[in-house]
Amino acid sequence: MVVGSLGENIIFEVSPEVVKTLDNIKWSSSAEYSTINRYIKDDLIEFAGNKPEKITFTVRLSAALGINPLDEMVKFLEAKRKGLAMRFVIGWKAYGKYKWVIESLENEMKYYDPNGNLLYCDVSVTLLEYAER
């Protein structure tokens, strides 16, 4: 059963054969303010707009859970390297106002078999809001 996706190529799913789900999802947002210096008075701040929002999460990739960790990790890397703007969906809900790009990845590659094949890794993903033009 598909539980979500990031674009068309990165699918999050759960079934008797495959488990690839999200963990530790955090959505953050912040604003930009300008400071106006005044003589002998407190400075004023002025709202200058919103900064791009961010979503972070971790995906556990394990051969014991029915996937090839390296193949799945490469999907994230390719999307980041190409700067693909993608929809982020969990269930039937698309998150954000438009699309997201992968700002950064951190791959914690933990276990290998005797032949050097990756058996287990955790991929930490940071998405950055991609505003509609």
Side-chain angles (χ1 to χ4, degrees), residues 3-49:
V3 295
S5 65
L6 179 59
E8 295 177 7
N9 295 327
I10 301 171
I11 307 297
F12 308 110
E13 60 184 311
V14 176
S15 73
E17 296 84 28
V18 175
V19 176
K20 186 170 77 167
T21 59
L22 306 166
D23 194 20
N24 299 322
I25 302 172
K26 296 177 185 169
W27 190 348
S28 61
S29 62
S30 60
E32 183 78 38
Y33 287 88
S34 299
T35 303
I36 301 166
N37 296 322
R38 300 188 308 169
Y39 181 72
I40 310 177
K41 291 185 178 181
D42 291 341
D43 292 348
L44 289 176
I45 60 169
E46 185 175 277
F47 179 71

Side-chain angles (χ1 to χ4, degrees), residues 43-132:
D43 292 348
L44 289 176
I45 60 169
E46 185 175 277
F47 179 71
N50 291 305
K51 293 183 180 181
E53 295 181 355
K54 291 185 180 188
I55 292 179
T56 60
F57 58 87
T58 303
V59 180
R60 178 163 293 148
L61 304 174
S62 173
L65 299 176
I67 59 173
N68 182 321
L70 188 57
D71 288 349
E72 295 299 320
M73 189 173 70
V74 166
K75 290 179 185 179
F76 286 98
L77 287 168
E78 286 178 349
K80 181 195 65 69
R81 289 175 180 155
K82 292 177 182 177
L84 295 179
M86 305 168 285
R87 295 205 184 278
F88 180 56
V89 178
I90 300 175
W92 297 104
K93 171 76 174 137
Y95 284 80
K97 292 182 276 186
Y98 186 54
K99 294 183 179 181
W100 302 87
V101 294
I102 298 176
E103 180 184 40
S104 66
L105 293 171
E106 187 173 310
N107 302 306
E108 187 177 349
M109 302 181 296
K110 294 185 176 184
Y111 303 111
Y112 296 85
D113 70 12
N115 296 319
N117 298 309
L118 182 62
L119 296 176
Y120 181 98
C121 75
D122 287 330
V123 179
S124 298
V125 181
T126 300
L127 301 178
L128 185 65
E129 178 184 32
Y130 184 85
E132 194 169 8

